[in-house]
């Protein structure tokens, strides 16, 4: 049975993007520094149609993360930021369901990625993503508002945080505005490397 996971990079002070984020400033001011550890590994570079890269434990984790996912859900803001910068084929290589208020025809890309635009809420998007994923997992890719909605609705099974040794000081926080009260987590794995700390939790 597939799980619903949040897998996301975050600064030590809780930001997943810097200030002034937008389509022409992907991840905001200094936000790309949150993911520098990932940009350097072979499996990520391979997904970007690039060669080289490090082959270490970080690389193994990125490859494992891609291999387990059968579909993605993301918000329209994340899509708008990525649409201008993702290569073809995009790095997902699986169906992506975009939550939006505006209807749009599916956007078919190379490598197995089709962006389908869902206008009637997170439950419908998740239902479609689970059907597309089959026995594989569904990843809630972001942004913060979408992650918060899924956590509030009790629809997240696993939470994976890649904690960058960085204080952004401003930007978009991951866990603001969660109104469902305390959310209890079970720590299932901690992996430390020189550039990032990988934290994995099960949502109880």
């Amino acid at each position: 049975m597939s799980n619903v996971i949040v897998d996301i990079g975050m600064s030590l002070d809780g930001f997943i993007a810097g200030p002034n984020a937008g389509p022409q400033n992907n991840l905001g001011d200094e936000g790309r520094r949150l993911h520098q550890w990932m940009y350097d590994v072979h499996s990520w570079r391979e997904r970007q149609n690039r060669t080289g890269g490090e082959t270490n434990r970080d690389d193994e984790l990125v490859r494992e993360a891609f291999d387990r996912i059968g579909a993605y859900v993301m918000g329209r803001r994340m899509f708008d930021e990525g649409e201008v910068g993702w290569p073809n084929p995009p790095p997902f290589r699986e169906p992506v369901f975009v939550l939006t208020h505006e209807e749009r025809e599916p956007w078919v890309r190379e490598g197995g990625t089709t962006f389908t635009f869902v206008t009637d809420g997170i439950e419908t998007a998740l239902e479609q993503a689970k059907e597309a994923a089959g026995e594989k997992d569904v990843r809630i890719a972001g942004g913060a508002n979408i992650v918060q909605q899924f956590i509030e609705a009790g629809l997240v099974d696993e939470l994976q945080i890649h904690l960058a040794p960085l204080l952004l000081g401003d930007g978009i926080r991951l866990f603001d505005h969660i109104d469902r009260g305390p959310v209890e987590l079970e720590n299932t794995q901690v992996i430390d490397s020189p550039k990032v700390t990988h934290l994995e939790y099960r949502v109880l």
Side-chain angles (χ1 to χ4, degrees), residues 93-128:
R93 316 289 170 92
E94 303 289 352
V96 180
F97 297 86
V98 181
L99 284 155
T100 180
H101 296 296
E102 300 178 7
E103 293 187 359
R104 174 174 167 175
E105 291 298 312
W107 189 37
V108 180
R109 306 290 279 165
E110 297 175 1
T113 301
T114 296
F115 294 93
T116 300
F117 300 88
V118 182
T119 60
D120 47 355
I122 63 173
E123 289 85 359
T124 299
L126 181 59
E127 181 181 348
Q128 293 182 37

Side-chain angles (χ1 to χ4, degrees), residues 49-70:
N49 304 314
R50 300 169 64 189
T51 59
E54 301 172 0
T55 53
N56 50 23
R57 184 58 177 136
D58 292 339
D59 177 55
E60 293 174 5
L61 289 173
V62 172
R63 188 174 301 279
E64 290 167 4
F66 278 127
D67 287 347
R68 69 182 290 193
I69 300 304

Side-chain angles (χ1 to χ4, degrees), residues 15-26:
F15 296 100
I16 63 168
N20 305 311
Q24 304 305 320
N25 190 24
N26 190 9

